[in-house]
Amino acid sequence: MTTTSPVETGLNDQGTTLSRPMSATFLLITVLVVAASLRASITSVGPVLSLIAADTHHSKSLLGLLGAIPLAAFAIVSPLVHFLVRRFGTERAVLLALIVLTGATVLRSIPGWDGWLWIGTAIIGAAIAVGNVLLPTIVKRDFPNRVAAATGAYVSVLSGFAALASGIALPLGNQFGWRIAIGSGAILSLIGAIVWLPRLQHQ
């Protein structure tokens, strides 16, 4: 017997038939667009550490902690994601994470107080942790007969945009300043939130 996902069959979590089931193509697009936003805010920092150090007068060794903070947030938040899902549902939890990720990426780039850099980075790590946990689960749910292919596409986009963000960060930083370089990832997460929004009608 072929297994199909609740979204593909036009059923919500309560088993109520939905009038407009979403296509598998659109479901995959939403996953890939979100995946594109899950690393850019992290990988864009390393290449511009020298610019941040010159502007903030912090040592590079201290600023190197900016790469460790998201990892600590992953470890702390990941076990708690199921509480978020229980409260809001899977699709809403992902949307909330994208909105928080967008806001935190902008917050981290606000001039005037260096503390925003650290606070924003911690919040970014927490938001990304939600996506790290839920996106693979959503892939398995929505594409039960194509898990390997969908997972491969998800991982490729995740890795590709992580590399792209890292590669363009320094040129952006040299041209427009490091705050623009590390804040530009907010564009990706905002697009991700907009593209993800239709899923809430099918949760």
Side-chain angles (χ1 to χ4, degrees):
M1 180 180 295
T2 302
T3 304
T4 54
S5 72
V7 180
E8 286 177 313
T9 56
L11 301 177
N12 63 15
D13 290 343
Q14 289 73 42
T16 304
T17 302
L18 298 166
S19 58
R20 292 184 181 177
M22 302 174 76
S23 71
T25 300
F26 183 75
L27 291 176
L28 182 59
I29 289 172
T30 63
V31 168
L32 297 183
V33 172
V34 172
S37 70
L38 291 183
R39 291 295 181 273
S41 295
I42 297 177
T43 59
S44 61
V45 174
V48 297
L49 281 182
S50 59
L51 300 179
I52 299 175
D55 185 37
T56 63
H57 306 294
H58 295 312
S59 67
K60 288 185 180 180
S61 58
L62 176 61
L63 291 173
L65 292 175
L66 291 173
I69 290 174
L71 298 179
F74 293 170
I76 294 170
V77 174
S78 294
L80 306 177
V81 173
H82 70 281
F83 292 110
L84 189 65
V85 172
R86 189 178 302 171
R87 175 66 179 84
F88 296 104
T90 303
E91 268 69 25
R92 286 186 175 85
V94 172
L95 180 64
L96 178 62
L98 290 168
I99 293 171
V100 171
L101 177 57
T102 302
T105 304
V106 173
L107 178 69
R108 184 177 62 175
S109 302
I110 293 177
W113 183 49
D114 293 346
W116 295 130
L117 179 63
W118 306 92
I119 294 171
T121 298
I123 299 173
I124 284 169
I128 291 175
V130 176
N132 287 346
V133 172
L134 295 183
L135 260 292
T137 301
I138 289 170
V139 167
K140 293 177 182 178
R141 184 200 68 190
D142 289 352
F143 310 99
N145 301 313
R146 293 161 286 177
V147 173
T151 300
Y154 160 74
V155 172
S156 296
V157 170
L158 189 75
S159 303
F161 274 82
L164 178 63
S166 178
I168 68 173
L170 186 55
L172 280 177
N174 287 331
Q175 185 70 28
F176 302 106
W178 66 266
R179 296 183 189 279
I180 296 296
I182 70 171
S184 57
I187 298 172
L188 289 174
S189 52
L190 178 59
I191 293 172
I194 293 170
V195 172
W196 193 262
L197 195 57
R199 276 179 170 263
L200 269 63
Q201 301 174 5
H202 298 263
Q203 182 166 339

